[in-house]
Amino acid sequence: SLAPEPLTATAVLAAGALLGGDNTALKDRWLPRLAAGEWLPALAWQESAGSQAIQPLGTHITRATPRDGGWVLDGGKCVVAAGDSANAFIVSAQGSGGLGLYLVQRDAPGLTVTTRTRVDGGTWSELALKGVAVGSGDLVASPAVASSTLERVLDEGRFALSAELLGLMARALELSVDYIQMREQFGKKIGSFQALQHRAVDLYIQQEIADAVLRDVVRQLDAAPDDVARALAASRNARF
């Protein structure tokens, strides 16, 4: 069964960004609450719908301007997973020193969250940031590590989503086979029709191919690959 929980969005993407950052105090403060289910962050990185690439340095719409020892964020994000239930957002923004990841609480002045319904009944959110103040202690990842951290968590998120899609595929096929084994037409179980048998076998083969790819990628990720190897493995999953 599908669990309506933001596992990939929160425990993989957002938690991964926090773990990969270089702010130990933030990790000590928020990770225990995340693990306890008391705090749900969401990663807000995408700035153009349909693009799966991180914006090149210098082209980020969202900007971080230094002010009073912290920063002020201005810009916008789209397609934020689990944004409707998030307590806070880890926002990527371009500053004078490069790309950084910043922690923004949901009730921060200047932040507007708009949630929209997807065609599958789920939701995604858009963020508008106008003069959102971020304190010096809320820098999740400095420019020294932000880009590499973001690339890694997005690859891991693609892998996690692929695993979820494989589960959907397997369950949908199981339900379909159960149905054709009990449904009767023209006085016969429709599962006895050769055309439906062939289609079921074709779908099973596709499921097994996807499963084999996923398991192979698991082995590659367990081997702690470098950034290029990890990205290539994630790209294989994205082709399901």
Side-chain angles (χ1 to χ4, degrees):
S1 299
L2 282 173
E5 302 294 338
L7 179 63
T8 298
T10 297
V12 177
L13 294 177
L18 191 54
L19 279 168
D22 47 6
N23 190 329
T24 302
L26 273 186
K27 299 178 190 182
D28 293 342
R29 179 181 180 185
W30 292 113
L31 285 175
R33 295 191 61 188
L34 191 157
E38 300 170 353
W39 182 69
L40 300 178
L43 180 64
W45 66 277
Q46 197 167 345
E47 300 201 342
S48 57
S51 173
Q52 288 295 305
I54 298 175
Q55 297 289 115
L57 294 181
T59 64
H60 250 67
I61 297 172
T62 305
R63 309 290 297 184
T65 305
R67 184 178 300 174
D68 299 330
W71 299 267
V72 173
L73 303 186
D74 292 283
K77 299 293 178 180
C78 66
V79 199
V80 179
D84 57 330
S85 58
N87 302 117
F89 300 92
I90 297 176
V91 179
S92 62
Q94 180 73 22
S96 57
L99 186 70
L101 299 178
Y102 303 83
L103 183 63
V104 178
Q105 300 299 328
R106 189 184 189 91
D107 58 358
L111 173 64
T112 302
V113 182
T114 304
T115 298
R116 304 188 185 281
T117 303
R118 303 193 309 248
V119 294
D120 64 356
T123 64
W124 52 269
S125 299
E126 298 172 347
L127 305 187
L129 303 103
K130 297 182 179 180
V132 177
V134 177
S136 59
D138 287 326
L139 178 63
V140 174
S142 70
V145 300
S147 293
S148 60
T149 294
L150 196 52
E151 291 281 8
R152 178 179 55 78
V153 299
L154 292 177
D155 285 336
E156 292 173 352
R158 292 178 181 112
F159 163 73
L161 184 58
S162 296
E164 182 178 343
L165 292 175
L166 176 60
L168 281 169
M169 183 191 306
R171 182 57 177 151
L173 179 58
E174 182 182 352
L175 291 171
S176 299
V177 171
D178 287 345
Y179 179 74
I180 65 175
Q181 287 178 336
M182 55 81 64
R183 171 67 189 273
E184 292 189 4
Q185 190 73 29
F186 309 115
K188 294 183 178 180
K189 298 286 178 61
I190 63 175
S192 65
F193 299 160
Q194 195 173 59
L196 291 180
Q197 292 176 358
H198 288 173
R199 294 182 66 179
V201 170
D202 288 342
L203 291 172
Y204 179 73
I205 291 172
Q206 293 301 314
Q207 173 190 306
E208 291 300 293
I209 292 173
D211 182 83
V213 170
L214 191 68
R215 291 176 184 274
D216 185 54
V217 171
V218 169
R219 287 190 288 269
Q220 293 182 48
L221 293 179
D222 282 345
D226 57 31
D227 292 346
V228 173
R230 186 198 62 241
L232 289 172
S235 296
R236 291 182 63 194
N237 276 347
R239 295 176 181 272
F240 275 12

